[in-house]
Amino acid sequence: MKIGVIGGGQLGRMLALAGTPLGMKFVFLDPAQDACAAALGEHIHADYHDHEHLRQLADQVDMVTFEFESVPADTVAFLSQFVPVYPCAESLRIARDRLLEKNLFRSLDIPVAPFAAIDSQVELEQAVVSIGLPAVLKTRTLGYDGKGQKVLREASDVSDAYAELGSVPCILEDFVEFSGEVSLIAARGRDGACNFYPLVHNTHRDGVLRLSIASAQHPLQKLAEQYTAGVLEHLDYVGVLAFEFFEVDGGLTANEIAPRVHNSGHWTIEAAECSQFENHLRAITGLPLGSTEKLGESAMVNFIGSVPDIAGLAAIDDCHVHAYGKAFKEGRKVGHATVRSTSAQAVQRQLGEIRALMAADK
Ligand code: AMP
């Protein structure tokens, strides 16, 4: 089985690491010369709009999948003429546009913070009156890791905010006073079977995920599964999908979905029976889904900018290091580590050791 992947970053790389033992081969299409997944398969070095190279990809693979959601619609439409594409074009269309996404949640009775579509500075000023401050202005498309958004706290923040985000279509969202952020990673097979991983508690800084801790029997697990199942069924989704929520007053408010394997699911490589990467590949190739059971306690830490001393990390008990082979760049995710243990206290101790190495690396 040969899988085409649009995008050749670390998610593509980890897909290939999971699929190779299943006998799968991988071809990545990515415009970056130094795409880090290229070490694990063939690399078609081309732009996402380059039909000649997209055709070359489609002709040599059994199916195509994606490692990011901002894939141009025409890329998906073009590929779909020649080869099965998972997840489907509609899932990508919704997930790359924050307005369509929020409208979908609302139509499925999934709670969302008050929001409004913004297409001009005048509309922004009107929406601020009805939604109030603080609020978050976000570009409808191409936002990730906190990019393409601005928190508006006082009137002076509003005056040139629309232009600051590039005068592109946006949404304004009420600022959610959450007690925590959680995500649910789900896999849905071609036959409609769904498996859900345990809810993960996520800590972000500057809009970027830093730490994920998988919860044992989280009281909101069933509710998160119910909301996620609604989205999966509605989209007739095939593959892994991540749903990010805010915890508010003992309930869940939807933030966003990612129609792909997700950073907050990296812990599943070592700390779940079957990883999110393997389950995505199982789902799209029509294999039975693997178990999403958690193996003990675990936590995942992202390395931003640089990876700390590998020998030091390797010396920590049950610490699993992933260095993506990406060049240093401020703010870039270049690796992660997952620690695993039988007790939550031991995981905290392991995390402390990782943090000490990260501090020494600065
Ligand atoms: P996003 O790209 O929408 O996931 O936003 C990145 C991070 O910004 C989230 O994980 C939150 O920590 C924060 N954030 C996004 N939207 C809101 C909001 N409406 N209220 C409060 N914090 C938010």
Side-chain angles (χ1 to χ4, degrees):
M1 186 78 71
K2 210 168 188 183
I3 316 283
V5 185
I6 302 298
Q10 66 267 22
L11 299 179
R13 182 177 162 110
M14 287 183 269
L15 278 170
L17 285 168
T20 304
L22 293 171
M24 297 173 183
K25 298 209 176 317
F26 292 83
V27 185
F28 304 96
L29 188 140
D30 192 312
Q33 195 73 259
D34 59 349
C36 72
L40 279 296
E42 196 183 315
H43 178 196
I44 299 179
H45 175 226
D47 187 82
Y48 301 122
H49 296 283
D50 178 339
H51 284 192
E52 190 188 325
H53 284 95
L54 288 170
R55 184 68 206 260
Q56 188 190 318
L57 174 78
D59 283 348
Q60 59 168 313
V61 299
D62 297 292
M63 64 196 57
V64 170
T65 190
F66 303 90
E67 63 138 38
F68 65 107
E69 58 271 40
S70 306
V71 186
D74 78 295
T75 307
V76 184
F78 181 79
L79 286 167
S80 305
Q81 299 174 77
F82 311 107
V83 70
V85 170
Y86 299 111
C88 65
E90 178 64 1
S91 311
L92 291 160
R93 188 179 78 86
I94 304 259
R96 75 170 155 256
D97 185 328
R98 292 184 191 275
L99 180 63
L100 302 183
E101 199 177 50
K102 289 271 172 358
N103 282 333
L104 173 67
F105 299 155
R106 201 175 253 176
S107 74
L108 295 172
D109 288 330
I110 301 171
V112 286
F115 65 92
I118 306 294
D119 288 310
S120 67
Q121 180 65 27
V122 173
E123 283 184 10
L124 173 61
E125 281 162 25
Q126 286 163 352
V128 165
V129 174
S130 56
I131 290 177
L133 293 179
V136 190
L137 184 66
K138 300 179 177 179
T139 58
R140 277 176 59 175
T141 60
L142 298 174
Y144 69 99
D145 283 351
K147 295 185 178 67
Q149 57 178 271
K150 183 174 162 55
V151 180
L152 311 178
R153 295 193 183 278
E154 44 202 75
S156 61
D157 295 333
V158 179
S159 44
D160 50 3
Y162 185 68
E164 258 181 64
L165 289 192
S167 301
V168 294
C170 286
I171 65 167
L172 184 73
E173 287 174 20
D174 190 18
F175 189 90
V176 180
E177 300 290 351
F178 53 80
S179 56
E181 292 189 78
V182 291
S183 58
L184 189 78
I185 312 282
R188 184 169 185 271
R190 285 206 228 160
D191 59 358
C194 291
N195 276 2
F196 302 96
Y197 288 94
L199 263 178
V200 180
H201 184 268
N202 298 316
T203 307
H204 295 81
R205 200 166 65 241
D206 304 327
V208 180
L209 181 68
R210 307 289 162 151
L211 173 70
S212 289
I213 300 184
S215 306
Q217 287 156 2
H218 195 291
L220 295 170
Q221 177 78 27
K222 284 289 161 227
L223 188 62
E225 289 184 11
Q226 179 197 316
Y227 292 156
T228 307
V231 170
L232 294 172
E233 297 296 323
H234 177 85
L235 295 171
D236 195 15
Y237 193 88
V238 174
V240 159
L241 175 140
F243 203 150
E244 295 185 69
F245 300 96
F246 300 120
E247 275 185 85
V248 187
D249 298 332
L252 293 171
T253 297
N255 178 19
E256 62 178 355
I257 50 171
R260 54 173 169 80
V261 286
H262 192 255
N263 194 171
S264 66
H266 289 0
W267 66 274
T268 62
I269 298 174
E270 290 89 10
E273 285 283 353
C274 181
S275 77
Q276 62 163 348
F277 298 98
E278 182 173 335
N279 259 332
H280 182 70
L281 295 168
R282 285 179 177 231
I284 67 172
T285 58
L287 292 172
L289 298 179
S291 163
T292 46
E293 284 293 304
K294 186 158 90 71
L295 303 172
E297 304 298 327
S298 69
M300 188 252 10
V301 187
N302 267 341
F303 299 137
I304 313 289
S306 64
V307 177
D309 177 44
I310 301 260
L313 290 168
I316 299 171
D317 283 347
D318 219 346
C319 176
H320 305 268
V321 186
H322 296 254
Y324 305 148
K326 289 162 77 171
F328 170 84
K329 192 171 157 200
E330 195 67 39
R332 188 184 221 187
K333 292 175 184 169
V334 291
H336 75 266
T338 296
V339 285
R340 202 177 61 185
S341 182
T342 49
S343 81
Q345 291 96 313
V347 166
Q348 286 305 322
R349 182 182 49 71
Q350 290 157 311
L351 281 177
E353 291 177 45
I354 294 180
R355 287 197 187 102
L357 290 169
M358 289 166 80
D361 191 43
K362 291 281 166 274

